[in-house]
Amino acid sequence: MQSLTLLYIVIALLISLFVAYFQYFYKAKNTAKVTISLFFLKALSLFLLLLLLINPIIKTTTYQNTKPTLSVLVDHSKSIEFFNEAVSVKDIVNQLKTNNSLNDKFALENFGFGDNLQVTDSVFFNANETNIYKAINGLDNLNKRKNAPIILITDGNQTIGNDYEFISSNKKIYPIVVGDTTIYKDLKITQVNVNKYSYIKNKFPVEVILNYQGKESITTKFSIFNGAKIVFTKNITFSKEVNSKIITTNLTSTKEGLNYYTASLQKIENEKNTQNNTKNFSVEVIDEQTKILIVTAVLHPDIGAIKKAIESNKQRAVDVFLISEFKNQINDYQLVTVYNPNNKFNNLLNEIKQNNSNFILVTGTNTDWNFLNKQQLGFFKKHINQTENYGANYNSSFLTFLQKDIGFDQFAPLEDKFGEVIFSKDHQNLLTQKINGIQTEQPLLSVLDVNNQKISVVFGEGIWKWRASSFLNTNSFQEFDQFIGNLVQFTASNKKRSRLEVNTDNLYPANSNINISAFYTDKNYKFDARASIEITITNTATKEVKKLPLSLINNSYQVSVDNLISGDYIFSLEVLGQNIKKYGKFKISDYQIEEQFTSANKNKLQKLASKTGGKLYYKNQIESLIQHLIEDKTYFTTQKSIEKEQNLIDWKWILFLVVVLFTAEWFIRKYFGKI
């Protein structure tokens, strides 16, 4: 409390005493006991009233006890029911919830996971995939500053995501193993690697990884079927020492369109689980290839990054030439990419303009802007001979083609000559510039679609760093390559743009969610959020029909379909009230990803427990786990002091007391005839 406030309080006390004294003792002939009582009532009531007017700040301290957090993480995948452990898991969760000693020491938090982490008190087993790594990582982030151990109830079998055995967690993890831990003889097709596309009459490579679990030497047959026809077969021998094989072969594309294949391992004697002996894959066979030309004046890492990104789609092939060496005709290519042009590109750009060819232009530190500004390409740049680094800012209003934000603002800046870009033709910016972290309206990546000619312009070099950053962020080049693919697809296409575009997969595992998205535009090819779109899905064998509306989510229409049985399906998307439809097909295989395991993976769970300082337990050792947690002195309740500041005027009972004191004084005076 400030010294000035204390002074005011002292003055208030003196004033109260003076007024009371003046009223009851000044020139009084006698001082009866009632007079003394009235003096104290008056002095106290006046002092409290003045104290409310001064309104000092009162500091109070309270103490809060916080229990350590105990996270109970339950596997909700279908593999738990496949191992007949649903009842056991529910019993374990109930034991933890109802143990009074455990609840006295810890604040229990209940979570479940399949492919995602979720907060739930319910226990169910309907998840089609298991991502243990993501669940543990989610709890790490949630309880980042807490000493919060994790009880992990699972069979240890993960189907997607990073390997949880190598997770870096600062929380002690106590796995409870459920499921059969007995090791059975088992053959398994672990993975099939194949390109999504092939060309008619061409051969395409297939790589299949096979695994064997057992102690005896066995021989089996591996086959690949296209429908009922065997297109490849080979005898395979496994032993305890040689328990993994990689089979590579080349299959011939004989039929245009979507082709489905089945890789299969013949069952061995006493094999318990044969669900993992087969795996389906698909290949789309096409009869043409997009040829793309890259012409450059300089050698730069961007060239290799762009080439690899484009050729990640096997429908596309890229030729690279220095401008001084290019003697071919651009008519041999569906798309031309011009990199860092200078006056040596005069003939090439004239040919592009004469043929009205589509092209991608990438500028940079070696670009001759004086030359480029004279080409009348629909834009020019007021530049100076000084370079600048331009960060990327994603434009969520971009509608020319569907491109999600892949973290552009986190990528390294591109480098180009400093200056203002001015457009003389209609354009849209997918990316705009950030200079030293400040967003601008200047373009970084723009597209033009004028008079049936499409131009895409990247105002900066250094895009190879984007591909590297994308890999570091996602452990894959896929997002960056898809971004370049979208840019190439838009620029290379000479077809009239469809107002309804559909995105879906060709092959789904059993019991998975079928996610289909659509992008719909108005007649000006701008995204239209007013449409009503309906999908009709038909099973080609049973003729069962399912109709569902698509929901508007961000800049696309989406639908998720579940509970479809295995089989072949055709679908049609229709924009209601418009004569616009789109057709497609997909297949749901018999492959149940959660039924591919013969036993619980106790070895990985043991490594996880050891690495994090926890301990592995089995379902019949729950009491031991509870006792260990209760006795572990590294988990303790913490006490935290909380200091609050409050104005005295907020204490309403003081005002009530003032009223009571004044009222009591009045009644006493009235009773003794002093009024």
Side-chain angles (χ1 to χ4, degrees), residues 290-505:
T290 302
K291 294 186 68 178
I292 297 167
L293 171 66
I294 298 178
V295 183
T296 178
V298 294
L299 297 177
H300 196 280
D302 281 356
I303 305 298
I306 295 171
K307 185 177 189 296
K308 285 190 176 184
I310 295 174
E311 290 186 338
S312 66
N313 183 336
K314 299 304 177 182
Q315 296 181 75
R316 300 175 180 137
V318 177
D319 289 339
V320 179
F321 288 93
L322 288 170
I323 185 62
S324 57
E325 299 174 355
F326 181 67
K327 307 298 181 186
N328 299 346
Q329 298 293 319
I330 63 171
N331 291 333
D332 297 335
Y333 301 91
Q334 284 74 48
L335 179 66
V336 180
T337 300
V338 177
Y339 188 85
N340 261 310
N342 53 30
N343 56 9
K344 295 180 180 178
F345 284 75
N346 189 53
N347 292 335
L348 178 65
L349 288 176
N350 285 337
E351 189 176 355
I352 287 174
K353 288 186 286 186
Q354 289 172 7
N355 295 334
N356 208 34
S357 300
N358 300 337
F359 68 98
I360 296 175
L361 173 64
V362 182
T363 66
T365 57
N366 292 287
T367 298
D368 185 346
W369 275 103
N370 292 324
F371 160 75
L372 202 58
N373 286 339
K374 297 176 183 177
Q375 300 303 308
Q376 298 181 344
L377 299 176
F379 60 89
F380 67 94
K381 186 170 188 175
K382 297 179 180 178
H383 69 287
I384 61 175
N385 288 324
Q386 179 181 341
T387 61
E388 181 61 77
N389 293 323
Y390 297 107
N393 181 54
Y394 174 72
N395 177 18
S396 59
S397 302
F398 180 79
L399 299 173
T400 304
F401 57 85
L402 191 59
Q403 173 60 51
K404 67 178 183 179
D405 185 0
I406 60 172
F408 291 107
D409 61 341
Q410 300 174 15
F411 293 162
L414 302 184
E415 191 175 5
D416 199 359
K417 298 283 181 64
F418 181 80
E420 180 186 4
V421 177
I422 300 174
F423 282 91
S424 59
K425 294 181 180 179
D426 290 338
H427 70 287
Q428 272 211 339
N429 297 329
L430 172 60
L431 302 174
T432 54
Q433 296 174 1
K434 281 196 305 186
I435 302 177
N436 296 325
I438 300 173
Q439 295 183 10
T440 72
E441 296 301 319
Q442 280 289 292
L444 187 64
L445 195 163
S446 303
V447 296
L448 300 88
D449 189 354
V450 182
N451 298 327
N452 295 321
Q453 184 186 34
K454 294 179 180 179
I455 306 172
S456 297
V457 190
V458 181
F459 294 98
E461 64 183 42
I463 204 169
W464 68 271
K465 298 176 185 176
W466 288 13
R467 193 168 191 258
S469 296
S470 180
F471 181 85
L472 290 175
N473 293 339
T474 64
N475 292 323
S476 170
F477 293 115
Q478 183 176 351
E479 284 193 347
F480 177 84
D481 292 351
Q482 183 65 47
F483 155 61
I484 295 296
N486 290 340
L487 190 65
V488 167
Q489 183 176 359
F490 161 76
T491 316
S493 175
N494 286 316
K495 296 179 181 178
K496 185 179 179 181
R497 184 176 175 186
S498 173
R499 291 176 58 191
L500 180 62
E501 300 290 345
V502 182
N503 182 28
T504 185
D505 290 333

Side-chain angles (χ1 to χ4, degrees), residues 230-242:
I230 297 177
V231 294
F232 176 81
T233 186
K234 184 177 182 180
N235 290 326
I236 309 292
T237 300
F238 290 102
S239 65
K240 182 180 179 180
E241 293 76 22
V242 184

Side-chain angles (χ1 to χ4, degrees), residues 7-19 43 47 50 54:
L7 178 61
Y8 287 155
I9 292 172
V10 172
I11 293 172
L13 179 60
L14 294 174
I15 290 172
S16 302
L17 291 171
F18 175 77
V19 171
F47 175 69
L50 291 172
I54 296 170

Side-chain angles (χ1 to χ4, degrees), residues 429-673:
N429 297 329
L430 172 60
L431 302 174
T432 54
Q433 296 174 1
K434 281 196 305 186
I435 302 177
N436 296 325
I438 300 173
Q439 295 183 10
T440 72
E441 296 301 319
Q442 280 289 292
L444 187 64
L445 195 163
S446 303
V447 296
L448 300 88
D449 189 354
V450 182
N451 298 327
N452 295 321
Q453 184 186 34
K454 294 179 180 179
I455 306 172
S456 297
V457 190
V458 181
F459 294 98
E461 64 183 42
I463 204 169
W464 68 271
K465 298 176 185 176
W466 288 13
R467 193 168 191 258
S469 296
S470 180
F471 181 85
L472 290 175
N473 293 339
T474 64
N475 292 323
S476 170
F477 293 115
Q478 183 176 351
E479 284 193 347
F480 177 84
D481 292 351
Q482 183 65 47
F483 155 61
I484 295 296
N486 290 340
L487 190 65
V488 167
Q489 183 176 359
F490 161 76
T491 316
S493 175
N494 286 316
K495 296 179 181 178
K496 185 179 179 181
R497 184 176 175 186
S498 173
R499 291 176 58 191
L500 180 62
E501 300 290 345
V502 182
N503 182 28
T504 185
D505 290 333
N506 299 323
L507 185 64
Y508 294 92
N511 295 322
S512 62
N513 289 332
I514 314 302
N515 296 311
I516 297 174
S517 61
F519 184 76
Y520 175 70
T521 63
D522 59 20
K523 292 182 179 179
N524 293 323
Y525 297 103
K526 294 184 177 180
F527 179 73
D528 191 344
R530 303 166 298 172
S532 296
I533 303 178
E534 185 177 75
I535 186 170
T536 303
I537 301 174
T538 305
N539 186 305
T540 57
T542 65
K543 305 303 179 185
E544 183 181 353
V545 177
K546 181 176 281 194
K547 287 189 176 183
L548 294 167
L550 274 70
S551 301
L552 179 62
I553 302 176
N554 297 326
N555 282 346
S556 69
Y557 293 87
Q558 300 179 21
V559 66
S560 181
V561 189
D562 54 10
N563 297 324
L564 293 181
I565 62 173
S566 299
D568 294 311
Y569 291 84
I570 57 174
F571 67 86
S572 64
L573 263 77
E574 179 182 7
V575 182
L576 302 181
Q578 303 282 340
N579 188 25
I580 298 176
K581 286 188 176 182
K582 206 79 171 181
Y583 300 92
K585 64 179 181 177
F586 60 84
K587 181 176 182 176
I588 301 177
S589 69
D590 294 322
Y591 179 78
Q592 297 266 8
I593 193 168
E594 287 292 334
E595 295 182 3
Q596 306 306 304
F597 307 99
T598 58
S599 59
N601 199 333
K602 63 178 182 180
N603 293 331
K604 272 196 174 184
L605 291 174
Q606 178 64 67
K607 291 177 182 177
L608 175 67
S610 300
K611 183 177 181 180
T612 59
K615 186 179 178 182
L616 181 75
Y617 290 88
Y618 294 93
K619 61 183 179 181
N620 59 347
Q621 298 176 317
I622 305 306
E623 290 298 330
S624 299
L625 169 60
I626 292 173
Q627 194 63 31
H628 171 79
L629 290 171
I630 293 172
E631 293 175 355
D632 192 334
K633 295 183 179 178
T634 59
Y635 308 121
F636 48 82
T637 298
T638 58
Q639 190 176 76
K640 181 171 65 174
S641 63
I642 301 173
E643 191 174 82
K644 292 183 179 179
E645 291 186 350
Q646 192 173 20
N647 291 324
L648 188 68
I649 200 169
D650 294 330
W651 294 10
K652 295 180 176 58
W653 64 269
I654 296 181
L655 182 61
F656 176 75
L657 180 59
V658 170
V659 173
V660 170
L661 291 172
F662 275 122
T663 304
E665 181 194 0
W666 186 87
F667 274 108
I668 293 171
R669 285 170 55 120
K670 185 75 173 176
Y671 181 79
F672 287 98

Side-chain angles (χ1 to χ4, degrees), residues 56-101:
I57 295 174
I58 307 299
K59 292 184 179 180
T60 58
T61 302
T62 59
Y63 296 92
Q64 181 180 12
N65 293 331
T66 304
K67 296 179 183 179
T69 300
L70 177 62
S71 301
V72 180
L73 187 57
V74 183
D75 190 341
H76 284 178
S77 66
K78 289 182 176 179
S79 62
I80 301 296
E81 282 195 335
F82 179 70
F83 284 130
N84 298 316
E85 293 289 353
V87 175
S88 298
V89 171
K90 290 179 181 178
D91 288 343
I92 293 169
V93 173
N94 189 56
Q95 275 184 267
L96 297 171
K97 282 183 179 180
T98 57
N99 189 282
N100 293 330
S101 299

Side-chain angles (χ1 to χ4, degrees), residues 271-288:
E271 186 175 7
K272 182 182 178 182
N273 184 9
T274 58
Q275 295 285 332
N276 52 13
N277 286 27
T278 61
K279 206 160 194 176
N280 300 95
F281 62 94
S282 64
V283 175
E284 186 171 351
V285 179
I286 54 179
D287 61 358
E288 62 180 11

